[in-house]
């Protein structure tokens, strides 16, 4: 299956240049310039990151190199999307905005929603919203994959939660990867911008239905005193791969809390750079992921404390089975101005069988002294003693293991609701589906 | 003989006035209790006397055996015999109680021009005093206050007081968080140290402690000033009637 | 509160940058190689030492590889001006008779005086009378290395009688060539890294230790290094082999004179522990750290690795690092033998403009291997201290266990402490635990200590002592004493 990514009939750079030429509406404009700068930056950094680059040491994406130049004009067509009826994440009430292969699909999205919300496709927003341009990071400052996304800038979504609302607005953004036409996987570079001026909840679902590669960039801005609650759920086909480079900026007394739940897809890299930019900004991150059978889940976080009295908490847990690889790189960086800040981070990996691999690099970079920072990382297996105990009480091996896995994940599964009462149930359900779908590797110990 | 003399003391924290004219005199051989509502300034007073940074004295004086206390550094005050039993003693990981005390005792001795204490002598002394407080060897070897229960921490403070033999000892809400048994042990430890050479200032919120450590004088500190003074009966009155009657300068001194 | 921080900084400064006590030089004629590095110099060194051709060939292979390599500093958090390798002399021996001294009588008295100043016991009499007694009154056998040459080895006769070989590497090459040839470069091959390659080409001396089967070496073996000559690099090479069920404790201590030009130190230490053997390697390092402005100081790039080849073998690294302008070292353990154990205990203190990027690597290969890492970093001034550690569990390393604790203490607000651990788990039946904390000495702790009669300096010393306690407990007694002097704290006696 991976051969479909490496075989590319289209020459690399030319398709990008063609895309620029073909995009009549954006010929000599801010967008065109942005794209050029993006590509210049990508080239300056040496193109696609290889494992020789420290941040990509444990995640090798070089096999996608040629595929990344595929023009995004090749589209999958999705005429309808059947919303799940059972108790899934998508049944939580709230307007839904769907992107199919990176492009906003209004026909599948809600058209009526509250005044407190402004939602536009990225193309539309780029034409009319000057403020938006300020929100995007200049291409010179971003790493390679985000720079490449800039070179393809054009599609995506802008969601603005306005202030002066006391109610919590919940919005779904669903990214569907599907290919009903060509034989090559579809590669897209969507860009999503979210601005929260009040209480906001964003539920971002990545649904993989066919071989595809998404190189996504998202910007999350939390304005002073605002709260952005963000749930990202990634599930689906094991040949749908996604690289998400997200940047979150939190202003004074703002709170960004995010839960990343990855139980499907193939190669997933969630790269998140959070900047606690002003005093008393706060960020809480939770993650639960599973990896098996050639699935590779990489969560790379940089938590920048650049202002005083900022707080961060991270807890990530991974369950990894044969053939799976879990990677966690979490840097807490406290700058000299960030006195009286607190940063804490925990990562735990549970390895279920030989062939499971976990790589963890929790970094602390501290340049202020009146701070409290800790991190912890563990990797290990299910406790044999406890397993035996459960079996001695009549549970079969699989049930016993499932119980212990649930117990292992408990604080991120049961403990994380973020104001959405159904979230723990949904999380539990997604993990059970994964557990049930695995082929049990070894029966006895 | 007057040991501590506080005259019209005014003090602020971060610009906020806390003590608004405290006048108080203590002599050796006496046990004074200070009671009062929360926020009155009781802890502030004791911490200020101990020399904690962050307090600004705007006017008034404190004399300690005739010396200007406010001109002395915290360690000078400690070495000359001022002791504060903290309400929330800090932890110092990796440093055992025994090591800590030995270092403190020797620092005090050096200040007073004496030679350092002999290891054997110290060992014997500390074990004796620890035993009286119901503390075993194990507690002496553990890192200072790390993992100690509330009662253990308070007992540790009293042990330190016993080893340093202060001239003026302040107990800052030593009874907070203690059950009756711990309270009795702590009280007996304090009572064992009562002497004609020593003055005590017992700060407490509740009258209960004063049944075990019977004071010679009781003062009520409210809104930054001592609004009333009396003997131990005053404490019982407070118990019955609360602080409200005292916050309007009314005083039923007996 | 700001006042207290400044006080803390002052007291650490007072302690760690008191006039560098060892900043003096000895006036001795030196036998110097011409400045620069090329194949002629390699020949020069090898010939000066009368080495056999297999060793000269090995050096040349290393040199030829080295000239194709680039310095690897792009990933470590270190910045320093480029080192001019051609600006150093790679061989400096104090001029004396070309045969190594057989006894102390033959050693130049000026050299002996230097070692006396350093407080190093080269006088066997003095040792026997207990002046510098080692653990439990045992003596310490000392091999002194002055610039590049091993000057004297005490206690040879006693050790010879037990079958312990403790001599300079140069001597070992002549006397025990099969042993050296079998093990040299087997733990750190000359291809390993830039500095190891350089060292393999130009190493001049170091210690060689072999402890025979079943012997627990009763005395601690110790080596002192000193870099004296201007513009020389010190490239010592140490090789310690503990045969089956043998054990040995080795102490490495270092000092260097004050020089304005930075001096280079690129050492290689290889340890081999066979079945049931145990090697304990302790270092108290006090290289000249550079002055308050960050000028001068030693560049310390060291490759230290222990191979736990045998079942149930154990290698333990303990280090207290306070000197050196730039430190780049990762004492490591390769846990090949089943049930082998690797340990790393470290206290690293940086001040002024020092930079340290140090840590350890534990590679779990065999079954049921264990590793334990306790690292304490204290940073003050404008310094930067980074802990970089790797715990790698290979696919066949079932039952591997690791526990890591890295704590950093910051004193003052212009320094940085960083922790970069890599955990690579490729077998499920393992338990790897890593914890790290960073903080400062709290004002509450300082005030509490002051209220108990301690001065500010004493309070800082006490708290730092407590912070480092777990590591200090692993140092052999006499080293602990030297370490405490270095860090300015007093260790406790026990409450018996």
């Amino acid at each position: 299956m991976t051969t479909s990514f490496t075989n590319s009939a289209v020459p690399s750079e030319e398709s990008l240049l063609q895309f620029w030429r073909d995009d009549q509406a954006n010929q000599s404009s801010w967008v065109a310039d942005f794209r050029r700068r993006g590509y210049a930056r990508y080239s300056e950094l040496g193109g696609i990151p290889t494992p020789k680059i420290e941040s990509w040491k444990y995640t090798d994406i070089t096999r996608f190199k040629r595929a990344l130049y595929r023009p995004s004009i090749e589209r999958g067509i999705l005429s309808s999307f059947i919303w799940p009826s059972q108790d899934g994440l998508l049944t939580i009430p709230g307007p839904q905005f769907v992107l199919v292969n990176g492009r906003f699909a209004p026909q599948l999205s809600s058209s009526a929603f509250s005044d407190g919300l402004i939602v536009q496709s990225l193309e539309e927003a780029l034409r009319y919203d000057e403020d938006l341009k300020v929100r995007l990071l200049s291409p010179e400052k971003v790493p390679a994959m985000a720079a490449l996304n800039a070179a393809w800038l054009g599609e995506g979504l802008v969601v603005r939660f306005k202030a002066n609302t006391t109610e919590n607005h919940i919005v779904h953004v669903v990214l569907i990867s599907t290919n009903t036409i060509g034989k090559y996987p579809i590669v897209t570079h969507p860009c999503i911008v979210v601005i929260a001026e009040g209480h906001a909840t964003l539920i971002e679902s990545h649904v993989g239905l066919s071989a595809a590669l998404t190189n996504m960039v998202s910007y999350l801005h939390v304005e002073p005193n605002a709260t952005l609650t963000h749930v990202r759920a990634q599930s689906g086909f094991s040949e749908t791969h996604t690289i998400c480079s997200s940047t979150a900026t939190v202003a004074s007394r703002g709170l960004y809390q995010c839960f990343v739940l990855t139980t499907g897809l193939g190669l997933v890299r969630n790269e998140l750079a959070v900047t606690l930019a002003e005093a008393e900004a706060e960020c809480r991150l939770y993650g639960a992921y599973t990896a098996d059978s050639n699935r590779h889940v990489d969560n790379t976080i940089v938590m920048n404390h650049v202002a005083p009295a900022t707080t961060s908490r991270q807890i990530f847990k991974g369950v990894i089975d044969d053939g799976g690889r879990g990677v966690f790189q979490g840097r807490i960086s406290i700058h000299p101005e960030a006195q009286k800040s607190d940063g804490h981070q925990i990562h735990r990996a549970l390895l279920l069988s030989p062939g499971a691999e976990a790589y963890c690099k929790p970094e602390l970079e501290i340049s202020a002294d009146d701070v409290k920072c800790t991190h912890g990382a563990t990797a290990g297996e299910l406790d044999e003693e406890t397993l035996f105990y459960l079996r001695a009480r009549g549970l079969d091996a699989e049930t016993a293991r499932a119980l212990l896995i649930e117990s292992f994940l408990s604080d991120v599964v049961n403990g994380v609701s973020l104001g959405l009462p159904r979230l723990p149930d949904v999380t539990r359900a997604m993990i059970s589906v994964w557990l049930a779908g695995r082929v049990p590797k070894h029966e006895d110990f | 003989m007057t040991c501590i003399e506080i005259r019209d003391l005014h003090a602020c924290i971060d610009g906020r006035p806390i003590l608004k004219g405290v006048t108080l005199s203590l002599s050796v051989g006496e046990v004074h209790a200070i009671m009062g509502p929360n926020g009155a300034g009781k802890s502030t007073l004791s911490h200020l006397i101990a020399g904690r940074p962050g307090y600004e004295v705007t006017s008034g004086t404190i004399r300690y055996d005739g010396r200007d206390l406010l001109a002395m550094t915290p360690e000078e005050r400690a070495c000359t015999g001022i002791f504060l039993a903290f309400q929330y003693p800090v932890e110092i990981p990796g440093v055992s109680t025994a090591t800590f005390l030995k270092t403190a005792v020797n620092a005090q001795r050096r200040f007073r021009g004496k030679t350092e204490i002999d290891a054997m002598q110290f060992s014997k002394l500390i074990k004796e005093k620890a035993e009286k407080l119901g503390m075993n060897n194990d507690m002496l070897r553990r890192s200072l206050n790390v993992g100690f229960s509330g009662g253990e921490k308070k007992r540790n403070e009293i042990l330190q007081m016993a080893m340093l033999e202060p001239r003026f000892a302040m107990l800052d809400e030593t009874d907070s968080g203690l059950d009756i048994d711990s309270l009795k042990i702590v009280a007996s430890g304090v009572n064992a140290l009562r002497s004609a050479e020593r003055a005590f200032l017992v700060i407490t919120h509740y009258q209960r402690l004063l049944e075990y450590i019977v004071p010679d004088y009781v003062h009520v500190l409210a809104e930054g000033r001592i609004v009333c003074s009396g003997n131990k009966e005053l404490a019982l009155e407070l118990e019955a009637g609360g602080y409200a009657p005292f916050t309007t300068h009314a005083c039923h001194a007996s | 509160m700001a006042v207290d921080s400044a006080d803390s900084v002052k007291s650490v400064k007072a302690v760690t940058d008191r006039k560098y006590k060892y900043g003096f030089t000895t006036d001795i004629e030196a036998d110097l190689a011409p400045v620069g590095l090329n194949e002629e110099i390699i020949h020069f060194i090898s010939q000066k030492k009368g080495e056999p051709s297999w060793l000269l060939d090995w050096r040349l292979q290393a040199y030829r590889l080295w000239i194709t390599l680039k310095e690897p500093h792009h990933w470590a958090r270190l910045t320093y001006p480029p080192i001019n390798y051609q600006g150093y002399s790679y061989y400096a021996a104090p001029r004396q008779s070309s045969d190594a001294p057989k006894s102390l009588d033959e050693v130049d008295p000026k050299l002996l005086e230097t070692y006396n100043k350093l407080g190093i016991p080269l006088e066997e009499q003095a040792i026997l009378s207990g002046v510098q007694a080692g653990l439990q009154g045992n003596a310490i056998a000392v091999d002194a290395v002055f610039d590049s040459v091993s000057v004297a080895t005490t206690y040879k006769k006693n050790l010879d009688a037990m079958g312990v070989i403790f001599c300079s590497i140069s001597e070992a090459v002549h006397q025990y060539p099969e042993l050296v040839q079998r093990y040299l470069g087997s733990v750190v091959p000359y291809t390993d890294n830039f500095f190891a390659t350089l060292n393999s080409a130009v190493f001049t001396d170091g210690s060689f230790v072999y402890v025979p089967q079943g012997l627990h070496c009763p005395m601690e073996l110790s080596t002192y290094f000193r870099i004296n000559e201007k513009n020389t690099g010190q490239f010592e090479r140490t090789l310690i082999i503990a045969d089956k069920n043998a054990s040995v404790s080795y102490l490495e201590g270092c000092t260097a004179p004050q020089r304005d030009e930075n001096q280079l130190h690129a050492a290689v230490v290889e340890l081999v522990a066979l079945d049931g053997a145990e090697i304990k390697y302790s270092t108290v390092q006090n290289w000249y750290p550079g002055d308050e402005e960050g000028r001068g100081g030693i560049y310390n790039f060291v490759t230290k690795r222990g191979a736990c080849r045998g079942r149930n073998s154990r290698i333990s690294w303990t280090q207290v690092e306070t000197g050196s302008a730039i430190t780049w070292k990762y004492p490591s353990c390769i846990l090949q033998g089943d049930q082998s154990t690797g340990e790393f205990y470290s206290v690293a203190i940086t001040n002024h403009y020092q930079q340290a990027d140090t840590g350890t690597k534990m590679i779990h290969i065999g079954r049921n291997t264990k590793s334990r890492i306790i690292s304490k970093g204290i940073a003050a001034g404008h310094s930067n201290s980074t802990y970089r550690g790797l715990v790698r569990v290979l696919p066949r390393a079932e039952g591997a266990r690791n526990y890591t604790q890295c704590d950093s203490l910051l004193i003052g607000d212009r320094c940085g402490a960083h922790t970069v651990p890599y955990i690579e788990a490729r077998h499920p039946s393992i338990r790897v635990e890593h914890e790290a904390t960073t903080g400062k000495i709290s004002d509450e702790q300082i005030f509490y200590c002051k209220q108990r009669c301690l001065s500010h300096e004493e309070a800082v010393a006490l708290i730092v002592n407590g912070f480092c306690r777990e590591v200090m407990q692993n140092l052999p007694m006499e080293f602990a004493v030297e370490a405490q002097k270095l860090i300015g704290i007093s260790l406790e006696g026990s409450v018996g």
Side-chain angles (χ1 to χ4, degrees), chain C residues 370-401:
Chain C
K370 290 206 299 277
S371 62
R372 187 174 167 83
I373 299 171
I374 310 280
S375 164
K376 304 279 182 179
I378 301 158
H382 295 267
S383 67
N384 269 292
S385 175
T386 301
Y387 164 83
R388 192 177 299 271
L390 169 65
V391 174
R392 177 180 285 163
V393 180
L394 295 188
R396 276 187 244 252
E398 75 180 64
R401 296 280 177 275

Side-chain angles (χ1 to χ4, degrees), chain B residues 175-190:
Chain B
D175 53 338
S176 76
L178 290 190
D179 59 50
I180 278 290
D181 292 321
S182 297
L183 191 64
K184 286 189 191 165
I185 294 177
V186 162
S188 76
V190 173

Side-chain angles (χ1 to χ4, degrees), chain B residues 221-235:
Chain B
L221 184 66
E223 288 161 3
R225 295 170 55 243
I226 294 192
V227 297
C228 197
S229 297
N231 64 15
K232 60 189 184 202
E233 305 299 324
L234 182 54

Side-chain angles (χ1 to χ4, degrees), chain A residues 69-226:
Chain A
Y69 288 100
R70 187 171 312 290
S72 53
I73 50 174
E74 245 179 58
R75 287 281 150 222
I77 301 162
L78 198 67
S79 50
S80 67
F81 179 66
I82 299 165
W83 296 98
S85 55
Q86 69 270 47
D87 248 346
L89 206 56
L90 293 170
T91 60
I92 294 175
Q96 298 144 345
F97 302 99
V98 182
L99 285 86
V100 177
N101 295 326
R103 176 182 284 169
F104 178 47
Q107 74 282 14
L108 300 173
S109 309
S110 304
S111 48
F113 42 86
S114 104
D115 279 347
L117 205 58
I118 301 176
V119 181
Q120 296 171 294
S121 73
L122 185 72
E123 299 143 281
E124 209 189 314
L126 282 172
R127 253 175 277 169
Y128 302 116
D129 188 349
E130 283 306 308
D131 171 63
L132 178 65
K133 295 174 181 169
V134 174
R135 303 281 187 173
L136 306 179
L137 275 178
S138 51
E140 289 74 23
K141 296 200 175 123
V142 305
M145 295 311 285
L148 185 64
N149 178 288
W152 290 94
L153 185 79
E155 295 185 329
L157 198 67
V158 179
V159 180
R160 197 186 280 267
F161 297 84
K162 280 157 68 176
N164 299 324
T165 52
T166 45
E167 45 180 305
N168 183 11
H169 278 143
I170 300 177
V171 164
H172 287 273
V173 171
V174 184
L175 293 102
I176 303 177
S177 295
T178 180
N179 180 4
T180 50
I181 49 167
K183 57 184 172 151
Y184 292 114
I186 291 185
V187 182
T188 56
H189 309 262
C191 173
I192 300 190
V193 181
V194 178
I195 299 159
E197 296 169 14
H199 281 315
T201 299
L202 173 74
I203 303 179
E204 186 188 319
S205 304
H206 294 212
V207 179
L209 302 177
S210 65
L213 172 63
T214 309
N215 175 33
M216 177 178 130
V217 161
S218 65
Y219 292 97
L220 308 147
H221 292 271
V222 182
E223 302 293 276
N225 300 301

Side-chain angles (χ1 to χ4, degrees), chain B residues 108-151:
Chain B
Q108 193 182 62
R109 286 168 77 112
R110 270 199 308 276
F111 183 90
R112 295 176 182 178
K114 297 201 219 158
T115 54
E116 293 197 355
I117 192 168
D118 165 66
M120 291 278 286
Q121 207 189 333
F122 175 79
S123 183
K124 189 155 162 282
L125 195 62
I126 194 175
K127 282 199 224 169
E128 258 172 44
K129 306 216 180 212
E131 220 179 289
K132 289 211 187 104
L133 286 162
M135 293 168 68
N136 58 29
N137 272 359
D138 190 55
M139 280 193 69
L140 296 175
R141 274 197 284 265
R142 280 157 59 188
S143 285
L144 188 68
N145 293 324
V146 175
F148 283 23
S149 69

